[in-house]
Short mmCIF file of all heavy atoms in Angstrom, two decimals:
data_model
loop_
_atom_site.label_atom_id
_atom_site.label_comp_id
_atom_site.label_asym_id
_atom_site.label_seq_id
_atom_site.Cartn_x
_atom_site.Cartn_y
_atom_site.Cartn_z
N LEU A 1 -29.63 38.28 40.10
CA LEU A 1 -28.20 37.87 40.20
C LEU A 1 -28.17 36.32 40.07
O LEU A 1 -28.95 35.67 40.79
CB LEU A 1 -27.65 38.25 41.55
CG LEU A 1 -28.02 39.64 42.01
CD1 LEU A 1 -27.56 39.91 43.46
CD2 LEU A 1 -27.42 40.72 41.12
N PRO A 2 -27.38 35.77 39.18
CA PRO A 2 -27.43 34.32 39.01
C PRO A 2 -27.23 33.65 40.35
O PRO A 2 -26.20 33.71 40.96
CB PRO A 2 -26.31 34.00 38.02
CG PRO A 2 -26.05 35.24 37.34
CD PRO A 2 -26.40 36.37 38.29
N SER A 3 -28.28 32.96 40.80
CA SER A 3 -28.20 32.28 42.04
C SER A 3 -28.05 30.80 41.76
O SER A 3 -28.08 30.38 40.60
CB SER A 3 -29.54 32.50 42.79
OG SER A 3 -30.55 31.90 41.98
N ARG A 4 -27.95 30.06 42.81
CA ARG A 4 -27.83 28.61 42.63
C ARG A 4 -29.10 28.01 42.09
O ARG A 4 -29.07 26.96 41.48
CB ARG A 4 -27.33 27.93 43.87
CG ARG A 4 -25.91 28.37 44.20
CD ARG A 4 -25.35 27.79 45.42
NE ARG A 4 -24.24 28.56 45.87
CZ ARG A 4 -23.35 28.19 46.77
NH1 ARG A 4 -23.47 27.03 47.31
NH2 ARG A 4 -22.39 29.00 47.12
N LEU A 7 -28.90 27.63 38.45
CA LEU A 7 -28.13 26.47 38.02
C LEU A 7 -29.01 25.21 37.90
O LEU A 7 -28.66 24.30 37.21
CB LEU A 7 -26.97 26.21 38.99
CG LEU A 7 -25.89 27.25 39.01
CD1 LEU A 7 -24.85 26.86 40.06
CD2 LEU A 7 -25.22 27.42 37.66
N LEU A 34 -16.07 19.80 4.25
CA LEU A 34 -15.40 21.13 4.14
C LEU A 34 -16.35 22.13 3.47
O LEU A 34 -16.41 23.28 3.86
CB LEU A 34 -14.13 20.97 3.38
CG LEU A 34 -13.25 22.27 3.32
CD1 LEU A 34 -12.84 22.73 4.74
CD2 LEU A 34 -11.97 21.99 2.48
N LEU A 35 -17.11 21.64 2.47
CA LEU A 35 -18.05 22.51 1.79
C LEU A 35 -19.15 22.97 2.70
O LEU A 35 -19.59 24.12 2.72
CB LEU A 35 -18.59 21.85 0.54
CG LEU A 35 -17.64 21.70 -0.62
CD1 LEU A 35 -18.15 20.83 -1.70
CD2 LEU A 35 -17.25 23.07 -1.18
N LEU A 37 -19.03 23.20 6.05
CA LEU A 37 -18.48 24.14 6.99
C LEU A 37 -18.28 25.49 6.37
O LEU A 37 -18.62 26.54 6.93
CB LEU A 37 -17.12 23.63 7.51
CG LEU A 37 -17.16 22.40 8.41
CD1 LEU A 37 -15.76 21.82 8.59
CD2 LEU A 37 -17.75 22.73 9.76
N THR A 38 -17.80 25.53 5.13
CA THR A 38 -17.55 26.80 4.43
C THR A 38 -18.87 27.50 4.11
O THR A 38 -18.95 28.70 4.33
CB THR A 38 -16.76 26.53 3.12
OG1 THR A 38 -15.55 25.84 3.47
CG2 THR A 38 -16.37 27.85 2.43
N GLY A 41 -20.63 28.51 7.47
CA GLY A 41 -19.86 29.43 8.30
C GLY A 41 -19.59 28.95 9.70
O GLY A 41 -19.00 29.70 10.49
N SER A 43 -17.70 26.81 12.63
CA SER A 43 -16.30 26.30 12.75
C SER A 43 -16.33 24.78 13.06
O SER A 43 -15.32 24.11 12.82
CB SER A 43 -15.54 27.04 13.79
OG SER A 43 -16.10 26.86 15.07
N ALA A 60 -12.70 22.15 10.34
CA ALA A 60 -11.75 22.29 9.21
C ALA A 60 -10.33 21.81 9.61
O ALA A 60 -9.60 21.30 8.79
CB ALA A 60 -11.70 23.72 8.74
N GLN A 61 -10.05 21.98 10.90
CA GLN A 61 -8.66 21.64 11.38
C GLN A 61 -8.43 20.14 11.14
O GLN A 61 -7.41 19.74 10.65
CB GLN A 61 -8.52 22.00 12.83
CG GLN A 61 -7.10 21.94 13.32
CD GLN A 61 -6.80 20.81 14.20
OE1 GLN A 61 -7.69 20.08 14.64
NE2 GLN A 61 -5.50 20.65 14.52
N THR A 64 -8.01 19.42 7.32
CA THR A 64 -6.73 19.84 6.75
C THR A 64 -5.60 18.95 7.31
O THR A 64 -4.71 18.52 6.57
CB THR A 64 -6.43 21.29 7.01
OG1 THR A 64 -7.56 22.10 6.63
CG2 THR A 64 -5.23 21.81 6.24
N GLU A 65 -5.66 18.66 8.59
CA GLU A 65 -4.63 17.86 9.25
C GLU A 65 -4.52 16.49 8.58
O GLU A 65 -3.43 15.94 8.43
CB GLU A 65 -5.05 17.69 10.71
CG GLU A 65 -3.94 17.22 11.63
CD GLU A 65 -4.33 17.36 13.09
OE1 GLU A 65 -5.40 16.83 13.44
OE2 GLU A 65 -3.55 17.96 13.85
N LEU A 68 -2.18 16.76 5.36
CA LEU A 68 -0.89 17.45 5.41
C LEU A 68 0.19 16.45 5.02
O LEU A 68 0.61 15.67 5.80
CB LEU A 68 -0.63 17.99 6.82
CG LEU A 68 -1.30 19.28 7.27
CD1 LEU A 68 -0.71 19.72 8.60
CD2 LEU A 68 -1.09 20.41 6.25
N TYR A 75 -4.66 17.98 -1.33
CA TYR A 75 -6.11 18.27 -1.48
C TYR A 75 -6.82 17.21 -2.33
O TYR A 75 -8.01 16.97 -2.11
CB TYR A 75 -6.29 19.62 -2.15
CG TYR A 75 -5.84 20.75 -1.26
CD1 TYR A 75 -4.68 21.45 -1.57
CD2 TYR A 75 -6.53 21.09 -0.11
CE1 TYR A 75 -4.21 22.47 -0.77
CE2 TYR A 75 -6.13 22.13 0.72
CZ TYR A 75 -4.94 22.82 0.40
OH TYR A 75 -4.52 23.81 1.23
N LEU A 78 -9.04 14.60 -0.55
CA LEU A 78 -10.21 14.92 0.23
C LEU A 78 -11.46 14.13 -0.09
O LEU A 78 -12.22 13.73 0.79
CB LEU A 78 -10.53 16.44 0.13
CG LEU A 78 -9.73 17.39 1.02
CD1 LEU A 78 -10.19 18.82 0.74
CD2 LEU A 78 -9.89 17.03 2.46
N GLN A 101 -26.27 23.76 35.52
CA GLN A 101 -25.02 23.61 36.25
C GLN A 101 -24.06 22.72 35.47
O GLN A 101 -22.89 23.04 35.31
CB GLN A 101 -25.29 22.97 37.65
CG GLN A 101 -24.02 22.71 38.37
CD GLN A 101 -24.24 22.44 39.85
OE1 GLN A 101 -25.24 22.80 40.43
NE2 GLN A 101 -23.19 21.96 40.48
N LEU A 104 -22.97 24.55 32.19
CA LEU A 104 -21.98 25.61 32.45
C LEU A 104 -20.60 25.00 32.65
O LEU A 104 -19.60 25.49 32.06
CB LEU A 104 -22.42 26.46 33.65
CG LEU A 104 -21.47 27.55 34.10
CD1 LEU A 104 -21.14 28.55 32.95
CD2 LEU A 104 -22.01 28.29 35.31
N ASP A 105 -20.48 23.95 33.48
CA ASP A 105 -19.19 23.32 33.69
C ASP A 105 -18.57 22.86 32.41
O ASP A 105 -17.38 23.05 32.19
CB ASP A 105 -19.42 22.09 34.59
CG ASP A 105 -19.61 22.41 36.06
OD1 ASP A 105 -19.35 23.63 36.41
OD2 ASP A 105 -20.05 21.55 36.84
N LEU A 107 -19.35 23.86 29.23
CA LEU A 107 -19.16 24.92 28.22
C LEU A 107 -17.92 25.77 28.52
O LEU A 107 -17.54 26.62 27.68
CB LEU A 107 -20.38 25.77 28.12
CG LEU A 107 -21.57 25.09 27.36
CD1 LEU A 107 -22.86 25.91 27.48
CD2 LEU A 107 -21.24 24.88 25.86
N ILE A 108 -17.33 25.56 29.66
CA ILE A 108 -16.07 26.27 29.94
C ILE A 108 -15.00 25.81 28.95
O ILE A 108 -14.15 26.57 28.48
CB ILE A 108 -15.64 26.09 31.43
CG1 ILE A 108 -16.50 27.04 32.29
CG2 ILE A 108 -14.14 26.36 31.62
CD1 ILE A 108 -16.40 26.82 33.76
N ASN A 109 -15.10 24.55 28.53
CA ASN A 109 -14.06 23.96 27.63
C ASN A 109 -14.53 23.60 26.25
O ASN A 109 -13.74 23.07 25.47
CB ASN A 109 -13.47 22.72 28.32
CG ASN A 109 -12.62 23.11 29.50
OD1 ASN A 109 -11.83 24.05 29.46
ND2 ASN A 109 -12.85 22.41 30.61
N ASN A 111 -17.13 24.88 22.79
CA ASN A 111 -17.91 25.93 22.15
C ASN A 111 -19.38 25.66 22.31
O ASN A 111 -20.21 26.56 22.41
CB ASN A 111 -17.58 26.10 20.67
CG ASN A 111 -16.45 26.99 20.43
OD1 ASN A 111 -16.13 27.92 21.23
ND2 ASN A 111 -15.79 26.87 19.28
N ARG A 128 -22.53 28.24 23.86
CA ARG A 128 -22.04 29.23 24.83
C ARG A 128 -22.83 30.50 24.74
O ARG A 128 -23.09 31.19 25.73
CB ARG A 128 -20.57 29.52 24.52
CG ARG A 128 -19.57 28.53 25.14
CD ARG A 128 -18.19 28.83 24.61
NE ARG A 128 -17.15 28.18 25.42
CZ ARG A 128 -15.84 28.23 25.07
NH1 ARG A 128 -15.47 28.92 23.97
NH2 ARG A 128 -14.96 27.66 25.81
N ARG A 129 -23.26 30.88 23.53
CA ARG A 129 -24.01 32.11 23.31
C ARG A 129 -25.27 32.10 24.15
O ARG A 129 -25.56 33.07 24.85
CB ARG A 129 -24.33 32.25 21.84
CG ARG A 129 -25.12 33.50 21.51
CD ARG A 129 -25.34 33.66 20.00
NE ARG A 129 -25.86 34.95 19.68
CZ ARG A 129 -27.14 35.30 19.73
NH1 ARG A 129 -28.05 34.35 20.08
NH2 ARG A 129 -27.54 36.50 19.48
N ILE A 131 -25.95 30.32 26.86
CA ILE A 131 -25.71 30.33 28.27
C ILE A 131 -25.23 31.72 28.77
O ILE A 131 -25.60 32.20 29.82
CB ILE A 131 -24.84 29.15 28.76
CG1 ILE A 131 -25.27 28.76 30.19
CG2 ILE A 131 -23.36 29.46 28.70
CD1 ILE A 131 -25.14 27.33 30.48
N LEU A 132 -24.44 32.37 27.90
CA LEU A 132 -23.96 33.73 28.25
C LEU A 132 -25.15 34.71 28.30
O LEU A 132 -25.20 35.56 29.19
CB LEU A 132 -22.90 34.24 27.26
CG LEU A 132 -21.50 33.63 27.44
CD1 LEU A 132 -20.65 33.86 26.21
CD2 LEU A 132 -20.81 34.13 28.70
N LYS A 133 -26.07 34.57 27.38
CA LYS A 133 -27.24 35.42 27.38
C LYS A 133 -28.08 35.26 28.66
O LYS A 133 -28.52 36.21 29.26
CB LYS A 133 -28.14 35.13 26.16
CG LYS A 133 -27.69 35.75 24.88
CD LYS A 133 -28.64 35.44 23.74
CE LYS A 133 -29.82 36.42 23.81
NZ LYS A 133 -30.64 36.36 22.53
N LEU A 135 -26.92 34.09 31.55
CA LEU A 135 -26.15 34.60 32.71
C LEU A 135 -26.23 36.10 32.77
O LEU A 135 -26.42 36.68 33.85
CB LEU A 135 -24.67 34.16 32.56
CG LEU A 135 -24.42 32.67 32.88
CD1 LEU A 135 -23.10 32.18 32.31
CD2 LEU A 135 -24.51 32.38 34.38
N LYS A 136 -26.17 36.78 31.62
CA LYS A 136 -26.30 38.22 31.61
C LYS A 136 -27.69 38.64 32.11
O LYS A 136 -27.80 39.58 32.93
CB LYS A 136 -26.07 38.72 30.17
CG LYS A 136 -26.27 40.22 30.06
CD LYS A 136 -26.14 40.71 28.61
CE LYS A 136 -26.61 42.16 28.55
NZ LYS A 136 -26.51 42.69 27.18
N ILE A 139 -27.89 38.50 35.87
CA ILE A 139 -27.16 39.57 36.55
C ILE A 139 -28.03 40.83 36.58
O ILE A 139 -28.07 41.55 37.55
CB ILE A 139 -25.81 39.88 35.87
CG1 ILE A 139 -24.87 38.67 36.02
CG2 ILE A 139 -25.17 41.09 36.49
CD1 ILE A 139 -23.53 38.83 35.32
N TYR A 140 -28.75 41.09 35.51
CA TYR A 140 -29.48 42.31 35.40
C TYR A 140 -30.90 42.23 36.03
O TYR A 140 -31.59 43.23 36.05
CB TYR A 140 -29.62 42.76 33.91
CG TYR A 140 -28.33 43.39 33.46
CD1 TYR A 140 -27.41 42.67 32.69
CD2 TYR A 140 -28.00 44.70 33.80
CE1 TYR A 140 -26.25 43.21 32.29
CE2 TYR A 140 -26.79 45.27 33.42
CZ TYR A 140 -25.92 44.53 32.65
OH TYR A 140 -24.74 45.08 32.24
N LEU B 1 -22.53 35.39 44.21
CA LEU B 1 -23.48 35.49 43.09
C LEU B 1 -23.09 36.68 42.22
O LEU B 1 -22.86 37.76 42.78
CB LEU B 1 -24.90 35.73 43.65
CG LEU B 1 -25.29 34.91 44.85
CD1 LEU B 1 -26.61 35.35 45.40
CD2 LEU B 1 -25.33 33.41 44.48
N PRO B 2 -22.95 36.51 40.92
CA PRO B 2 -22.43 37.61 40.11
C PRO B 2 -23.31 38.84 40.30
O PRO B 2 -24.49 38.84 39.97
CB PRO B 2 -22.47 37.11 38.69
CG PRO B 2 -22.48 35.68 38.78
CD PRO B 2 -23.14 35.34 40.07
N ARG B 4 -23.70 43.21 40.22
CA ARG B 4 -23.29 44.27 39.29
C ARG B 4 -21.91 44.76 39.59
O ARG B 4 -21.27 45.31 38.70
CB ARG B 4 -24.33 45.37 39.31
CG ARG B 4 -25.63 44.83 38.75
CD ARG B 4 -26.72 45.83 38.67
NE ARG B 4 -27.99 45.17 38.56
CZ ARG B 4 -29.14 45.73 38.21
NH1 ARG B 4 -29.14 47.06 37.93
NH2 ARG B 4 -30.23 45.05 38.15
N LEU B 7 -19.51 43.16 37.34
CA LEU B 7 -19.50 43.73 36.00
C LEU B 7 -18.51 44.87 35.89
O LEU B 7 -18.09 45.23 34.78
CB LEU B 7 -20.91 44.16 35.57
CG LEU B 7 -21.90 43.08 35.39
CD1 LEU B 7 -23.25 43.69 35.04
CD2 LEU B 7 -21.47 42.08 34.32
N LEU B 34 -3.53 28.94 6.73
CA LEU B 34 -4.22 27.64 6.90
C LEU B 34 -3.33 26.69 7.69
O LEU B 34 -3.83 25.93 8.55
CB LEU B 34 -4.58 27.04 5.54
CG LEU B 34 -5.42 25.78 5.56
CD1 LEU B 34 -6.76 26.07 6.28
CD2 LEU B 34 -5.69 25.29 4.18
N LEU B 35 -2.01 26.72 7.42
CA LEU B 35 -1.08 25.84 8.20
C LEU B 35 -1.02 26.23 9.65
O LEU B 35 -1.04 25.43 10.55
CB LEU B 35 0.29 25.91 7.55
CG LEU B 35 0.42 25.20 6.22
CD1 LEU B 35 1.77 25.52 5.58
CD2 LEU B 35 0.23 23.69 6.36
N LEU B 37 -3.43 27.75 11.40
CA LEU B 37 -4.69 27.34 12.02
C LEU B 37 -4.70 25.84 12.28
O LEU B 37 -5.12 25.37 13.35
CB LEU B 37 -5.90 27.74 11.13
CG LEU B 37 -6.16 29.23 10.96
CD1 LEU B 37 -7.14 29.49 9.84
CD2 LEU B 37 -6.71 29.81 12.27
N THR B 38 -4.22 25.10 11.33
CA THR B 38 -4.22 23.61 11.45
C THR B 38 -3.25 23.16 12.53
O THR B 38 -3.61 22.31 13.35
CB THR B 38 -3.84 22.97 10.08
OG1 THR B 38 -4.75 23.44 9.08
CG2 THR B 38 -3.95 21.45 10.18
N GLY B 41 -4.53 24.52 16.01
CA GLY B 41 -5.84 23.96 16.37
C GLY B 41 -6.87 25.06 16.69
O GLY B 41 -8.00 24.68 17.08
N SER B 43 -9.69 27.89 15.83
CA SER B 43 -10.60 28.06 14.68
C SER B 43 -10.47 29.44 14.06
O SER B 43 -10.87 29.65 12.90
CB SER B 43 -12.03 27.81 15.11
OG SER B 43 -12.47 28.78 16.06
N ALA B 60 -10.55 29.38 8.83
CA ALA B 60 -10.50 28.48 7.70
C ALA B 60 -11.64 28.74 6.71
O ALA B 60 -11.46 28.57 5.50
CB ALA B 60 -10.54 27.01 8.15
N GLN B 61 -12.77 29.18 7.24
CA GLN B 61 -13.90 29.46 6.38
C GLN B 61 -13.60 30.51 5.31
O GLN B 61 -13.88 30.31 4.14
CB GLN B 61 -15.13 29.83 7.20
CG GLN B 61 -16.41 29.80 6.46
CD GLN B 61 -16.98 31.13 6.17
OE1 GLN B 61 -16.49 32.18 6.62
NE2 GLN B 61 -18.05 31.17 5.38
N THR B 64 -11.14 28.99 2.69
CA THR B 64 -11.77 28.05 1.72
C THR B 64 -12.71 28.81 0.82
O THR B 64 -12.74 28.59 -0.41
CB THR B 64 -12.48 26.91 2.45
OG1 THR B 64 -11.62 26.38 3.39
CG2 THR B 64 -12.90 25.83 1.44
N GLU B 65 -13.47 29.71 1.36
CA GLU B 65 -14.45 30.49 0.59
C GLU B 65 -13.77 31.23 -0.57
O GLU B 65 -14.33 31.39 -1.66
CB GLU B 65 -15.12 31.52 1.52
CG GLU B 65 -16.37 32.10 1.02
CD GLU B 65 -17.11 32.82 2.11
OE1 GLU B 65 -16.47 33.64 2.83
OE2 GLU B 65 -18.34 32.56 2.28
N LEU B 68 -13.26 28.84 -3.67
CA LEU B 68 -14.35 27.97 -4.17
C LEU B 68 -14.60 28.33 -5.61
O LEU B 68 -15.29 29.27 -5.92
CB LEU B 68 -15.64 28.23 -3.33
CG LEU B 68 -15.79 27.54 -2.00
CD1 LEU B 68 -17.19 27.77 -1.48
CD2 LEU B 68 -15.49 26.04 -2.09
N TYR B 75 -7.32 24.95 -4.86
CA TYR B 75 -6.23 24.97 -3.84
C TYR B 75 -4.93 25.54 -4.33
O TYR B 75 -4.18 26.12 -3.56
CB TYR B 75 -5.96 23.53 -3.33
CG TYR B 75 -7.14 22.96 -2.63
CD1 TYR B 75 -7.91 21.97 -3.17
CD2 TYR B 75 -7.52 23.45 -1.35
CE1 TYR B 75 -8.98 21.40 -2.50
CE2 TYR B 75 -8.56 22.91 -0.67
CZ TYR B 75 -9.34 21.90 -1.26
OH TYR B 75 -10.41 21.38 -0.61
N LEU B 78 -4.01 29.12 -3.28
CA LEU B 78 -3.75 29.54 -1.84
C LEU B 78 -2.47 30.30 -1.59
O LEU B 78 -2.47 31.27 -0.85
CB LEU B 78 -3.78 28.32 -0.92
CG LEU B 78 -5.19 27.82 -0.52
CD1 LEU B 78 -5.04 26.60 0.38
CD2 LEU B 78 -6.00 28.91 0.15
N GLN B 101 -18.47 44.20 32.02
CA GLN B 101 -19.81 44.46 31.45
C GLN B 101 -19.77 44.56 29.97
O GLN B 101 -20.55 43.90 29.25
CB GLN B 101 -20.40 45.75 32.05
CG GLN B 101 -21.73 46.11 31.42
CD GLN B 101 -22.53 47.07 32.26
OE1 GLN B 101 -22.27 47.38 33.40
NE2 GLN B 101 -23.57 47.59 31.60
N LEU B 104 -18.71 41.10 28.45
CA LEU B 104 -19.83 40.13 28.45
C LEU B 104 -20.79 40.43 27.31
O LEU B 104 -21.19 39.50 26.60
CB LEU B 104 -20.54 40.17 29.84
CG LEU B 104 -21.77 39.28 29.96
CD1 LEU B 104 -21.44 37.79 29.71
CD2 LEU B 104 -22.35 39.41 31.36
N ASP B 105 -21.16 41.67 27.13
CA ASP B 105 -22.06 42.04 26.05
C ASP B 105 -21.53 41.56 24.71
O ASP B 105 -22.23 41.00 23.91
CB ASP B 105 -22.27 43.57 26.01
CG ASP B 105 -23.18 44.05 27.09
OD1 ASP B 105 -23.89 43.22 27.71
OD2 ASP B 105 -23.17 45.28 27.33
N LEU B 107 -19.09 39.27 24.11
CA LEU B 107 -18.78 37.84 23.99
C LEU B 107 -20.02 37.03 23.76
O LEU B 107 -19.91 35.80 23.51
CB LEU B 107 -18.00 37.37 25.21
CG LEU B 107 -16.54 37.79 25.24
CD1 LEU B 107 -15.92 37.49 26.59
CD2 LEU B 107 -15.73 37.12 24.16
N ILE B 108 -21.19 37.63 23.83
CA ILE B 108 -22.43 36.91 23.49
C ILE B 108 -22.35 36.58 21.99
O ILE B 108 -22.81 35.47 21.57
CB ILE B 108 -23.66 37.73 23.88
CG1 ILE B 108 -23.88 37.54 25.38
CG2 ILE B 108 -24.93 37.28 23.11
CD1 ILE B 108 -24.89 38.51 26.00
N ASN B 109 -21.74 37.40 21.20
CA ASN B 109 -21.71 37.20 19.74
C ASN B 109 -20.37 36.89 19.14
O ASN B 109 -20.28 36.76 17.90
CB ASN B 109 -22.29 38.41 19.02
CG ASN B 109 -23.78 38.50 19.29
OD1 ASN B 109 -24.54 37.56 19.20
ND2 ASN B 109 -24.24 39.73 19.68
N ASN B 111 -16.50 34.58 19.75
CA ASN B 111 -15.79 33.58 20.53
C ASN B 111 -14.74 34.24 21.46
O ASN B 111 -14.48 33.73 22.52
CB ASN B 111 -15.04 32.61 19.61
CG ASN B 111 -15.86 31.44 19.18
OD1 ASN B 111 -16.84 31.06 19.83
ND2 ASN B 111 -15.49 30.85 18.03
N ARG B 128 -14.23 33.66 25.72
CA ARG B 128 -15.47 33.21 26.39
C ARG B 128 -15.15 32.28 27.54
O ARG B 128 -15.79 32.33 28.59
CB ARG B 128 -16.35 32.48 25.36
CG ARG B 128 -17.21 33.38 24.52
CD ARG B 128 -17.87 32.52 23.47
NE ARG B 128 -19.02 33.21 22.82
CZ ARG B 128 -19.70 32.70 21.82
NH1 ARG B 128 -19.39 31.51 21.33
NH2 ARG B 128 -20.73 33.36 21.30
N ARG B 129 -14.10 31.48 27.38
CA ARG B 129 -13.70 30.50 28.42
C ARG B 129 -13.41 31.24 29.72
O ARG B 129 -13.88 30.90 30.79
CB ARG B 129 -12.50 29.73 27.96
CG ARG B 129 -12.04 28.69 28.96
CD ARG B 129 -10.93 27.83 28.40
NE ARG B 129 -10.65 26.70 29.28
CZ ARG B 129 -9.83 26.77 30.35
NH1 ARG B 129 -9.24 27.90 30.63
NH2 ARG B 129 -9.68 25.73 31.12
N ILE B 131 -14.33 34.27 30.66
CA ILE B 131 -15.49 34.96 31.28
C ILE B 131 -16.44 33.91 31.87
O ILE B 131 -17.00 34.16 32.96
CB ILE B 131 -16.14 35.93 30.29
CG1 ILE B 131 -16.71 37.11 31.11
CG2 ILE B 131 -17.21 35.33 29.43
CD1 ILE B 131 -16.67 38.43 30.42
N LEU B 132 -16.59 32.76 31.26
CA LEU B 132 -17.49 31.74 31.82
C LEU B 132 -16.88 31.22 33.17
O LEU B 132 -17.67 30.96 34.10
CB LEU B 132 -17.63 30.56 30.82
CG LEU B 132 -18.62 30.85 29.67
CD1 LEU B 132 -18.47 29.79 28.57
CD2 LEU B 132 -20.06 30.89 30.13
N LYS B 133 -15.60 31.07 33.24
CA LYS B 133 -14.95 30.64 34.50
C LYS B 133 -15.22 31.64 35.60
O LYS B 133 -15.50 31.26 36.73
CB LYS B 133 -13.43 30.49 34.31
CG LYS B 133 -13.04 29.19 33.62
CD LYS B 133 -11.53 29.05 33.56
CE LYS B 133 -10.97 28.55 34.85
NZ LYS B 133 -9.54 28.18 34.75
N LEU B 135 -17.72 33.83 35.74
CA LEU B 135 -19.14 33.83 36.06
C LEU B 135 -19.47 32.63 36.99
O LEU B 135 -20.21 32.76 37.95
CB LEU B 135 -19.99 33.79 34.76
CG LEU B 135 -20.03 35.09 34.02
CD1 LEU B 135 -20.47 34.90 32.58
CD2 LEU B 135 -20.92 36.11 34.70
N LYS B 136 -18.90 31.49 36.65
CA LYS B 136 -19.16 30.32 37.47
C LYS B 136 -18.63 30.54 38.91
O LYS B 136 -19.32 30.20 39.92
CB LYS B 136 -18.42 29.10 36.86
CG LYS B 136 -18.57 27.84 37.70
CD LYS B 136 -17.83 26.67 37.13
CE LYS B 136 -17.77 25.56 38.14
NZ LYS B 136 -17.01 24.40 37.65
N ILE B 139 -20.97 32.64 40.92
CA ILE B 139 -22.18 31.96 41.32
C ILE B 139 -21.91 31.12 42.60
O ILE B 139 -22.75 31.03 43.51
CB ILE B 139 -22.71 31.05 40.23
CG1 ILE B 139 -23.21 31.89 39.05
CG2 ILE B 139 -23.91 30.21 40.73
CD1 ILE B 139 -23.71 31.09 37.87
N TYR B 140 -20.72 30.54 42.65
CA TYR B 140 -20.43 29.65 43.76
C TYR B 140 -19.90 30.36 44.98
O TYR B 140 -19.64 29.70 46.01
CB TYR B 140 -19.48 28.53 43.32
CG TYR B 140 -20.19 27.47 42.53
CD1 TYR B 140 -20.12 27.47 41.15
CD2 TYR B 140 -20.93 26.50 43.15
CE1 TYR B 140 -20.81 26.52 40.40
CE2 TYR B 140 -21.61 25.52 42.45
CZ TYR B 140 -21.58 25.55 41.09
OH TYR B 140 -22.24 24.64 40.34
#
Side-chain angles (χ1 to χ4, degrees):
Chain A
L1 317 172
S3 63
R4 293 180 200 195
L7 293 178
L34 188 60
L35 288 171
L37 291 167
T38 305
S43 64
Q61 194 252 352
T64 310
E65 197 168 51
L68 280 187
Y75 296 107
L78 280 180
Q101 177 164 345
L104 176 57
D105 284 346
L107 285 170
I108 282 169
N109 291 314
N111 272 336
R128 276 173 165 175
R129 180 175 191 275
I131 212 146
L132 284 166
K133 281 182 80 170
L135 286 162
K136 176 184 170 181
I139 295 177
Y140 283 100
Chain B
L1 317 172
R4 293 182 199 194
L7 293 179
L34 187 60
L35 288 170
L37 291 167
T38 305
S43 64
Q61 195 251 353
T64 311
E65 197 167 49
L68 278 188
Y75 296 108
L78 280 180
Q101 176 161 347
L104 176 57
D105 284 345
L107 286 169
I108 282 168
N109 291 314
N111 272 336
R128 276 172 164 175
R129 180 174 190 275
I131 212 145
L132 283 166
K133 281 184 80 170
L135 286 163
K136 176 182 170 181
I139 295 177
Y140 283 98

